[in-house]
Every structure is written in C-alpha cells, then in structure tokens.
C-alpha cells in the first residue's frame, strides 16, 4: 500500500487461483444480464468512426444476447455482483486490507475477441481481475486524460470515451492476473487471444468528496445532540454597534 495505493499502477501476476479468478462462469454471468438487479448494459462500438458508441440498458432477453455478433463490437456489463452472488462476495475477502466501506461495487464484463468498453478514466481505485480469456490493458497517467478534463472526451455520445488516447504502458493479463489502477489513470482493455469469451471482474473503491465528508461530519454532530434542549448561548455578548451584527 505504501508503494502503490493511490500512487501508481501495478500488475500482480497470478494473484488469484483459477477458481478464485472465475467465481461465476461466463454462462451464468450472461444469464445475469437478463435480470434487472444487476443493472445490465451492453456497450456497442459502431462502424462510423471512433465516436460511434452506444449504451443499451437491460435487462435483456436470451434471444438478444444470442444475437450479438462474434466480433469485438460489444461488451456486456453487469454490476453489484457482491450484493447478490455469495461466490462474488467471497472474492472481496482477498481485498480485506482495504477499506470495505469504500467498495462501490463488483462488476463483470463479457466480450468477444477484440471487445472492450473504450479508453476512459474515472475516480475509482480499481482492481481488474482477469477471469477467462486474456485482455491487453493500455494505460496512461497523463493528467490530460483525467475524468474532469471534459475536452479530452467525445461529446454527445452515450459512452464516456477518450478522443485521442496515447498509452504509456501495456500489459497482457492472463486468468488470475490482477491490474490495480489508482484514480484518474486512463485505461483501455481489449480482449486478445480468446477462444470463446473474455471475462474481466473489477472491484471499484470510491473515496468520498470533500463536500461529502463535511456533510457527513455535520450530520453526525447533529444526530448526537439533543435538538430540543441544546441551543446556542452567548453569555459573553457585548453591546453591538450595529443591531444586525
């Protein structure tokens, strides 16, 4: 944690055993895309240039999933796995040295060869765990790709994708490998060398904003006081030059 947490990316080879890296098989994951509890969506890359992306919200029918093409133009994403799937929740035990209250959710993405969700950045500390197949991750910590740099992203599209992403480093993740990325590090994952589908799990840790911390502290202070009997007092008050002071 002293060397990497919120400081720099790192690839951890063989961090998870094969069984741990794939707590839910790809067929079951695809089935979760038919259930609303998992907020399923399909991100699709069109053929009309780099800004041609769409985000279709589920749940989906089995027929819709089976009709997806065999190329890498799509990626199915399901969320909140740890809330509904015990095997996914158990995977969190591998990260019990990190603040559990900051876990936003556990997500899984499924795609075919060449698939991904586009180059992007966000505010999460994220652990990307390769479950099935392989994925090549290209990353950059260049500040111009930070999520608040709106000018670096395509405008008026359903998917938040960087316009001109130039990576500084690349790593090919095999099943069981884990890639940690601090907040704001831009990343782009593309399925590579997959016989069937590529499955990547991710655990996102989200820190509160400064405003959230202040509001939470203020609310906690209010909740611990007796709002009926405790009032402001000022026995030290002196005559005021102006009545409005």
């Amino acid at each position: 944690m002293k060397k990497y947490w919120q400081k720099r990316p790192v690839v951890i080879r063989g961090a998870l055993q094969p069984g741990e890296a794939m707590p839910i098989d790809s067929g079951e994951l695809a089935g979760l895309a038919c259930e609303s509890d998992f907020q399923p969506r399909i991100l699709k890359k069109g053929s009309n240039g780099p800004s041609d992306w769409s985000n279709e919200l589920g749940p989906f029918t089995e027929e819709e999933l089976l009709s997806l093409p065999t190329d890498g133009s799509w990626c199915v994403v399901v969320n909140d796995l740890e809330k509904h799937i015990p095997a996914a929740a158990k995977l969190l035990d591998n990260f019990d040295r990190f603040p559990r209250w900051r876990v936003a959710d556990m997500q899984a993405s499924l795609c075919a060869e060449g698939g991904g969700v586009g180059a992007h950045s966000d505010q999460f500390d994220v652990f990307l765990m390769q479950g099935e197949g392989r994925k090549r991750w290209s990353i950059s910590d260049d500040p111009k790709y930070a999520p608040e740099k709106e000018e670096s992203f395509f405008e008026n599209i359903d998917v938040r994708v960087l316009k001109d992403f130039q990576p500084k480093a690349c790593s090919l993740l095999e099943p069981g490998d884990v890639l940690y990325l601090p907040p704001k590090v831009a990343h782009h994952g593309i399925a590579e060398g997959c016989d069937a589908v590529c499955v990547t799990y991710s655990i996102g840790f989200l820190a509160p904003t400064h405003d959230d911390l202040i509001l939470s502290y203020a609310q906690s202070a209010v909740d611990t006081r007796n709002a009926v009997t405790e009032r402001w007092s000022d026995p030290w008050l002196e005559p005021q030059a102006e009545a409005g002071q």
Side-chain angles (χ1 to χ4, degrees), residues 90-158:
K90 185 173 177 56
L91 191 59
L92 285 175
D93 293 342
N94 292 283
F95 303 89
D96 59 5
R97 294 298 183 267
F98 300 94
R100 185 65 62 91
W101 62 272
R102 275 164 59 173
V103 172
D105 82 327
M106 182 186 295
Q107 181 185 95
S109 62
L110 300 86
C111 58
E113 176 80 7
V117 300
H120 63 286
S121 63
D122 50 49
Q123 297 286 0
F124 293 88
D125 289 276
V126 64
F127 291 88
L128 298 157
M129 301 165 287
Q130 194 58 30
E132 184 176 333
R134 302 190 300 175
K135 184 170 283 187
R136 184 172 298 278
W137 287 98
S138 304
I139 65 173
S140 175
D141 60 358
D142 193 319
K144 71 180 180 182
Y145 299 135
E148 65 268 21
K149 301 292 185 180
E150 296 291 341
E151 66 275 10
S152 296
F153 293 81
F154 287 112
E155 299 178 352
N156 303 318
I157 64 172
D158 294 336

Side-chain angles (χ1 to χ4, degrees), residues 12-23 91 109-111 127-137 171-179 189-194 197-202:
I12 310 169
R13 298 292 182 188
L16 302 173
Q17 297 299 316
E20 289 182 304
M22 199 65 185
L91 191 59
S109 62
L110 300 86
C111 58
F127 291 88
L128 298 157
M129 301 165 287
Q130 194 58 30
E132 184 176 333
R134 302 190 300 175
K135 184 170 283 187
R136 184 172 298 278
W137 287 98
S171 298
L172 181 64
L173 264 59
E174 305 276 355
D177 292 344
V178 175
L179 171 62
I190 299 177
E192 180 179 309
C194 301
V197 296
C198 176
V199 177
T200 304
Y201 291 90
S202 66

Side-chain angles (χ1 to χ4, degrees), residues 13 66 71-72 89 112 161 187 205 222 225 231:
R13 298 292 182 188
L66 291 173
D71 60 15
V161 176
H187 46 290
F205 292 77
V222 169
R225 291 182 178 274
R231 291 182 178 271

